[in-house]
Amino acid sequence: MARFDKLEFEQFDKQHPKAAETHRAVTDAQTWMRRADDFRRSGTYEGALQMYSRALEEDKTLIECWAGQVQMLVQLEEFPEAELWSRKALELYPGNGELLAARAQALCRDKKPRDAQATVDQSLQQAGESSFRWMVRGEILLMQRQSTHKHCFDRAMQCDHDWLPPAESALIYRYYNQPSNGLSYARLATERNPTVPYAWYVVARCQRDLGMIQPARRSLSTCLDLKPDFRDAQNLQVALDSEVPLWRQIRRLWSR
Amino acid sequence: MPGLASCGRCGSNLNAQGLKLDVNPPRAAKWKKRIRRPMRSIPNFREGFRRFRECLPTTLFPDFSLPELPRWQVFVRMIVPGWAQWYCGFPVRGGIYLGAYLFCLIVGIFLLGTGLGNLLMGLAVACHASSALDIILSREYGIRARLFSSMIILALLFWGLYIPLWTFTTRYFQPMTIRMSMAGIHAGDVLIVNPRGSAAVGESVIYEIPPAETTMANAGHGQRRYVWRGQRVDRILAGPGQHVILKNGKLAIDGKSSRFLPLAPIHSDWTLDVTVGPGQWLILPTTDPFSAMVPLPAVCLVPTRSITAVVLFRSYPYSRFGRLSSPVPSP
């Protein structure tokens, strides 16, 4: 392997200390970003937002973090702030498709579908393809009650075979009071990775919205089997236990 | 290239790492989020209105450019609202005009004589005028041509269609709104009358009561003077040549009990023994508010010329719709 003999690791750091420092900073930023992703995948959006900010403190060129911040603000239901932040990020990276899509989502949730539509169209015209762009497009169509939203979400699922896009699609459907559609995507998320507690939690939320109490309990128990200290799942279980069916309430009255 | 501040392709800042930026996003306070959450369910009226304003013309009224059709064919079809639009290939547009016109017209006919009915009839005419103007304004482009054509068409519509139609219709059918309540007829009731109808025994009619005066009580303070004049509504009970006897509230025509009764009960203290003269009709003014004091027979013998219209039916309110009925006599 003569061609690898001339690779310089130690020597490169010694000869170019500034470049090595930049390399370490990038590594740290990647770590923060990974942590942010972990938080996001566990449904802890507040923590994910903080991690994205830390990553950006290390490296301001991480566009994924800027977009992630906007997405987390949207998930935390801070839509005007998300829109403002996306504008700031777009000042730095004006033609970035992910940032444009994030802005479109913020605008859509802020009930500005016209601007959102224009922004997401602009986003899709940019180079590359991502599931998030298609999801945002689907969300805007869903908000406008157009029947083609399903195609966009399906396209998003084709772009990325991870479990996160279907889970986030389910959350979008839940936001627009369509838990039945959301449930199909949440189930897809669990099919793609059955070991993720957050995906089971999303399934349980959708089932609860649909009044499927027993299936929701089963999904929650799976979720808690995978992660017993999942606080949101525990809270949901308590809430489910407090929801006594009508016939049982009547029986209770009778038994008194 | 070294030294560039931004990407030449996408415009991204190439010196972002060196910029002093706050990377912590703005956050919403808890109370703000709490307020925003219920506000989300409130529909965005401005957005909704904007969408409605944008969608309505494009869906219902697509861009309107008339095909080159013979002018007179379009012109003739203006007689029916929406027909010209239909002929020009805009059936939805024509349907909207025709639907609005028919709705206003039909409901207006049912409420004829009432304020709302008059308003709806006016709107129906306005719909027709609008449908005609719609065609003209999309055909003519100069302001003078538009004004001139509009005036001509509107004048033709009004003078050529609606005014003759109204004049002809009101010869035989005329709504009459009652202003003052009488016995059996309430203020606000609408009677459909025929001004050209011929008087006959048993018909309810609008007539001018023969002028008469009655002075009650002694001269000086407390003296009351009643004057009868103006229009009344009641039924014709006897015709020329018939002998009428009224006693104890019983009415006999030519020695037989009368088939017809007035619109309100007859006062029991009225007495009458009279033969109806030629060109006269016997109408007892029972619906008059001061009927108890009327001087008989001065006011009950009505000349034919004083009968202004024959009442056909009561059109409003619907609870009393139909011919004017007499009270059932007590046994």
Side-chain angles (χ1 to χ4, degrees):
Chain A
M1 291 292 175
R3 57 182 172 166
F4 295 118
D5 292 342
K6 289 183 181 176
L7 287 176
E8 296 171 342
F9 293 108
E10 301 294 322
Q11 293 86 345
F12 180 82
D13 286 4
K14 284 172 190 168
Q15 285 166 10
H16 307 280
K18 199 175 175 183
E21 195 181 325
T22 312
H23 178 71
R24 265 199 303 279
V26 169
T27 312
D28 288 346
Q30 293 294 341
T31 310
W32 291 123
M33 212 165 86
R34 266 200 302 277
R35 282 192 194 173
D37 194 47
D38 290 344
F39 273 121
R40 183 176 178 174
R41 283 166 187 274
S42 63
T44 319
Y45 298 120
E46 193 69 51
L49 183 62
Q50 286 175 9
M51 294 303 125
Y52 280 130
S53 301
R54 285 189 191 173
L56 282 175
E57 279 170 8
E58 298 292 340
D59 184 2
K60 295 184 184 70
T61 60
L62 290 171
I63 300 172
E64 299 90 340
C65 292
W66 289 101
Q69 278 185 324
V70 178
Q71 287 172 36
M72 292 308 101
L73 286 170
V74 168
Q75 295 292 352
L76 291 164
E77 300 186 347
E78 299 180 20
F79 310 129
E81 287 76 14
E83 199 273 324
L84 177 71
W85 200 242
S86 66
R87 254 189 291 151
K88 186 178 175 180
L90 280 165
E91 281 174 15
L92 289 174
Y93 307 103
N96 188 272
E98 295 301 304
L99 281 175
L100 284 167
R103 179 160 193 257
Q105 191 179 27
L107 285 166
C108 176
R109 297 274 175 113
D110 210 13
K111 289 188 177 175
K112 292 172 184 165
R114 199 184 187 187
D115 297 338
Q117 184 74 53
T119 313
V120 82
D121 286 347
Q122 206 184 338
S123 159
L124 286 167
Q125 282 167 6
Q126 303 303 317
E129 196 178 40
S130 74
S131 60
F132 179 62
R133 295 189 208 177
W134 284 107
M135 275 161 57
V136 173
R137 187 176 173 78
E139 181 175 347
I140 292 164
L141 294 176
L142 179 64
M143 190 208 186
Q144 293 172 342
R145 294 175 188 178
Q146 292 185 28
S147 56
T148 45
H149 60 85
K150 198 91 176 162
H151 303 299
C152 294
F153 283 108
D154 289 344
R155 186 75 186 268
M157 300 310 118
Q158 287 166 8
C159 288
D160 194 343
H161 293 282
D162 190 18
W163 67 270
L164 192 61
E168 288 186 343
S169 301
L171 292 176
I172 289 171
Y173 274 114
R174 269 202 76 231
Y175 182 81
Y176 291 100
N177 290 324
Q178 293 194 13
S180 51
N181 280 327
L183 183 58
S184 63
Y185 285 105
R187 278 186 179 144
L188 180 64
T190 54
E191 280 168 20
R192 284 186 176 182
N193 192 347
T195 59
V196 181
Y198 185 59
W200 285 105
Y201 172 73
V202 175
V203 170
R205 291 296 297 264
C206 293
Q207 285 168 335
R208 188 208 176 189
D209 291 344
L210 289 166
M212 300 156 70
I213 304 296
Q214 287 307 323
R217 281 210 179 100
R218 279 198 292 274
S219 304
L220 268 184
S221 77
T222 314
C223 171
L224 289 168
D225 287 346
L226 292 164
K227 191 181 176 187
D229 60 338
F230 193 171
R231 182 62 63 84
D232 289 341
Q234 287 169 348
N235 292 339
L236 184 61
Q237 197 167 37
V238 171
L240 279 176
D241 290 340
S242 65
E243 282 176 9
V244 184
L246 182 66
W247 65 271
R248 204 174 284 176
Q249 283 182 23
I250 294 165
R251 262 182 68 182
R252 259 188 211 172
L253 281 172
W254 188 256
S255 63
R256 276 173 204 163
Chain B
M1 285 177 70
L4 279 178
S6 61
C7 173
R9 197 167 49 133
C10 67
S12 299
N13 194 325
L14 298 176
N15 294 332
Q17 186 60 15
L19 291 174
K20 284 192 175 175
L21 283 173
D22 183 10
V23 290
N24 294 299
R27 301 302 307 275
K30 273 188 181 175
W31 63 269
K32 262 190 188 177
K33 283 170 79 171
R34 211 169 293 156
I35 290 172
R36 277 179 197 164
R37 205 161 289 150
M39 298 277 275
R40 275 206 317 251
S41 57
I42 298 171
N44 190 343
F45 287 112
R46 189 188 289 178
E47 184 62 32
F49 180 70
R50 183 194 61 74
R51 211 182 300 163
F52 177 75
R53 200 183 57 196
E54 282 180 0
C55 292
L56 191 71
T58 51
T59 51
L60 296 181
F61 299 95
D63 286 340
F64 197 37
S65 55
L66 285 177
E68 281 305 314
L69 294 167
R71 272 174 184 251
W72 68 271
Q73 287 192 4
V74 178
F75 177 78
V76 165
R77 282 170 172 80
M78 282 180 193
I79 201 161
V80 177
W83 191 14
Q85 281 87 346
W86 201 291
Y87 178 68
C88 294
F90 300 96
V92 177
R93 203 182 179 97
I96 287 167
Y97 276 119
L98 185 64
Y101 175 78
L102 288 179
F103 173 78
C104 292
L105 188 73
I106 292 167
V107 180
I109 286 172
F110 274 102
L111 294 171
L112 202 67
T114 63
L116 184 61
N118 295 341
L119 181 75
L120 286 168
M121 293 296 271
L123 281 175
V125 177
C127 274
H128 195 168
S130 303
S131 79
L133 286 177
D134 182 47
I135 290 284
I136 291 160
L137 297 182
S138 54
R139 233 169 207 283
E140 306 290 349
Y141 296 104
I143 185 76
R144 279 188 186 175
R146 280 182 167 194
L147 271 174
F148 184 71
S149 311
S150 305
M151 283 164 67
I152 294 284
I153 289 292
L154 290 182
L156 278 174
L157 265 183
F158 289 121
W159 291 102
L161 180 65
Y162 281 105
I163 288 176
L165 192 67
W166 181 253
T167 313
F168 177 76
T169 313
T170 51
R171 275 187 178 191
Y172 300 99
F173 304 98
Q174 209 171 324
M176 188 174 203
T177 310
I178 302 298
R179 302 284 170 209
M180 195 176 75
S181 289
M182 294 173 265
I185 303 169
H186 301 276
D189 285 10
V190 179
L191 304 179
I192 303 296
V193 301
N194 179 5
R196 298 208 157 200
S198 52
V201 175
E203 294 281 0
S204 300
V205 291
I206 311 283
Y207 67 101
E208 291 280 344
I209 195 165
E213 280 186 27
T214 308
T215 305
M216 304 289 286
N218 298 325
H221 288 293
Q223 189 184 52
R224 283 168 290 168
R225 191 160 154 252
Y226 294 91
V227 177
W228 278 272
R229 62 180 57 171
Q231 287 190 326
R232 299 288 189 280
V233 185
D234 222 310
R235 197 185 300 283
I236 298 174
L237 300 171
Q242 289 186 306
H243 184 236
V244 181
I245 296 171
L246 176 61
K247 202 173 181 184
N248 298 328
K250 304 280 182 195
L251 185 69
I253 312 288
D254 294 333
K256 292 176 188 169
S257 183
S258 174
R259 274 176 62 212
F260 302 104
L261 288 171
L263 295 181
I266 300 169
H267 288 276
S268 55
D269 54 344
W270 279 354
T271 52
L272 193 68
D273 188 349
V274 68
T275 302
V276 182
Q280 284 186 329
W281 301 91
L282 181 96
I283 305 172
L284 291 173
T286 53
T287 56
D288 192 286
F290 300 101
S291 56
M293 289 166 280
V294 289
L296 292 178
V299 297
C300 65
L301 293 171
V302 181
T304 306
R305 66 172 184 280
S306 296
I307 293 173
T308 51
V310 174
V311 178
L312 297 176
F313 59 94
R314 178 163 33 196
S315 67
Y316 190 84
Y318 300 125
S319 57
R320 293 195 289 275
F321 184 89
R323 290 182 70 87
L324 294 181
S325 56
S326 303
V328 180
S330 53

